[in-house]
């Protein structure tokens, strides 16, 4: 069941912007101060990601051009991760496999990504944190940071094919 676009007392599910909306091609601005609006943005993004059964979401996907991402690739990858102003500073190895995006429904593409990445950013308390991701989480981090720079995975995919929504899009 989806609450997208409906009023709900306890959650704020936002509409997910779909390709080719030009907002997805903008470069997002860094967050300079963690205000109550940024906390609300994080909460809305987490609710929207879970409602859509995604494993990652970037702020421009709900129309907000700020450098904020959320991810949850499962407990084995550390559960829910929220990052403000994320910066990938180390990548290693290579993986090649299928990737989907909540902003590009019913499509999958094969994309080459680093196997392991390290990203730093701020948590919701303004504390600097470092997250190390491998496999799915590495792919997710790189996909979400690309969103902040106006890059979609279709720009990188070697092959695209139609698919049913399967959960796990980012
Ligand atoms: Ni995406």
């Amino acid at each position: 069941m989806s609450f997208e676009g409906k009023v709900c007392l306890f959650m704020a599910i936002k509409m997910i912007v779909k390709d080719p909306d030009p907002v997805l091609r903008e470069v997002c601005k860094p967050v300079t101060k963690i205000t109550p609006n940024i906390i609300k943005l994080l909460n809305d993004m987490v609710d929207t990601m879970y409602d859509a059964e995604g494993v990652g979401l970037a702020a421009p996907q709900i129309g907000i051009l700020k450098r904020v991402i959320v991810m949850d690739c499962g407990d084995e990858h550390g559960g829910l991760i929220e990052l403000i102003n994320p910066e990938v500073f180390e990548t290693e190895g290579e993986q090649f496999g299928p990737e989907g995006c909540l902003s590009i429904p019913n499509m999958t593409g094969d994309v080459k990504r680093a196997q392991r990445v390290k990203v730093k950013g701020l948590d919701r308390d303004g504390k600097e944190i470092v997250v190390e991701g491998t496999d799915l989480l590495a792919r997710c981090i790189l996909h979400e940071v690309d969103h902040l720079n106006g890059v979609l995975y279709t720009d990188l995919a070697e092959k695209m094919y139609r698919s049913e929504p399967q959960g796990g899009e980012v």
Side-chain angles (χ1 to χ4, degrees):
M1 169 173 196
S2 174
F3 294 100
E4 187 174 280
K6 300 197 182 85
V7 174
C8 173
L9 280 180
F10 305 107
M11 294 193 286
I13 310 300
K14 299 296 185 182
M15 296 282 285
I16 294 178
V17 174
K18 304 292 193 314
D19 185 46
D21 192 312
V23 86
L24 294 172
R25 293 307 191 168
E26 298 283 329
V27 176
C28 297
K29 295 215 161 54
V31 172
T32 53
K33 190 166 179 235
I34 298 174
T35 61
N37 273 341
I38 296 295
I39 301 300
K40 182 172 179 348
L41 172 63
L42 280 167
N43 293 342
D44 291 352
M45 287 173 64
V46 170
D47 291 343
T48 303
M49 172 181 72
Y50 286 137
D51 179 68
E53 295 177 14
V55 299
L57 193 74
Q61 291 181 279
I62 59 166
I64 306 293
L65 292 173
K66 291 191 186 300
R67 303 190 78 84
V68 178
I69 63 175
V70 299
M71 299 168 288
D72 189 338
C73 293
D75 291 343
E76 70 274 29
H77 290 290
L80 178 62
I81 297 166
E82 301 172 330
L83 277 176
I84 297 163
N85 300 339
E87 270 181 62
V88 174
F89 64 94
E90 208 177 291
T91 62
E92 192 185 89
E94 197 177 284
Q95 58 174 314
F96 181 72
E99 199 163 311
C101 179
L102 292 168
S103 295
I104 309 170
N106 305 317
M107 294 298 290
T108 300
D110 291 326
V111 186
K112 197 182 289 176
R113 298 283 192 186
Q115 172 63 22
R116 190 183 66 85
V117 310
K118 280 188 185 174
V119 61
K120 64 181 176 179
L122 303 177
D123 68 10
R124 61 166 62 210
D125 300 317
K127 189 165 72 92
E128 186 170 298
I129 53 172
V130 172
V131 174
E132 182 172 345
T134 56
D135 304 305
L136 177 62
L137 181 56
R139 179 177 290 284
C140 188
I141 289 167
L142 293 167
H143 180 115
E144 301 314 335
V145 172
D146 275 353
H147 268 303
L148 304 183
N149 295 319
V151 174
L152 300 176
Y153 84 94
T154 47
D155 301 344
L156 314 170
E158 293 184 15
K159 192 178 149 211
M160 297 291 303
Y161 37 97
R162 297 198 62 81
S163 64
E164 295 296 309
Q166 45 207 328
E169 282 84 7
V170 287

